[in-house]
Amino acid sequence: MISNDILFELEHLEFSYPDSDKILDNLNFTIYQGEAVSILGANGCGKSTLLKILSGLLSPTIGSFRAFGELVNAQMLQQDEFAINYHRQIGFIFQDSDVQLFCNSVTEELAFGLLQMDYTPDQIKLRINEIAKLLSIEHLLNKTPYKLSGGEKKKVAIAAVLLLNPRVLILDEPTNALDPKTQHWLVGLLQQLHQAGKTLIISTHNLNLLSELSTRGILFNEQHQIVADAPIEQLLQQQDLLRQVNLI
Ligand SMILES: Nc1ncnc2c1ncn2[C@@H]1O[C@H](COP(=O)(O)OP(=O)(O)O)[C@@H](O)[C@H]1O
Ligand SMILES: [Mg+2]
């Protein structure tokens, strides 16, 4: 259910990497608690960069970025207390699971975030077993993350993030490189999480799964500007526009 609570508010936001041209050009939009939003655009249009700003991993070069009612900037994200609190509210699933998984076993991977919080060892064990059951990864718990398949790694990365119970889930091209069965499973899981009240922000250039994954689409052109922000069904009907931005 979409509420009146504003989670993110971008005004005239621009971003450039050091020595790069503008990667995000004059972004203006608001995301409310409980929405399921897809960020769409061809490769290189700036989707991952935008998700990193929303996740507090990068800060805008120009313009304002508000999250959870507060202005967020680079100085604030450098303060440990602010950053820890911020990152606890947002679960970021990287496109490449390998950058997210670094422990020797899946159990250690799942325990990692919980160990930074005030859980007893018994509580940690219980929560890991619960999430492993939910994601059907019980059989992977003693395995080494880097030896898993792409789909298994994605499940472990998602489990690790869900354990911390974030308000918002941000997923960068989550269905990329997954086999059809795992894609189908992931779409089902995301729908379930959305129904349970999580806000979802998902980047993709895959139009097939779009209407199942989101209710709203924000569409970029290859010049790094937003050219549409509309209900997903409406967006999918704009074939000319989708062709212009090189998505079909
Ligand atoms: N760390 C970086 N330094 C310089 N340029 C970058 C960096 N990361 C991405 N870019 C460039 O920014 C543009 C947008 O990248 P990205 O946000 O990854 O787009 P998308 O996710 O839509 O494919 C691309 O041209 C890419 O080469
Ligand atoms: Mg990307």
Side-chain angles (χ1 to χ4, degrees), residues 17-18 20 23 41-50 95 172-173 224:
Y17 290 100
S20 83
I23 300 294
N43 275 328
C45 73
K47 299 181 296 296
S48 297
T49 304
L50 171 59
Q95 177 171 358
D172 198 357
E173 311 248 8
H224 316 289

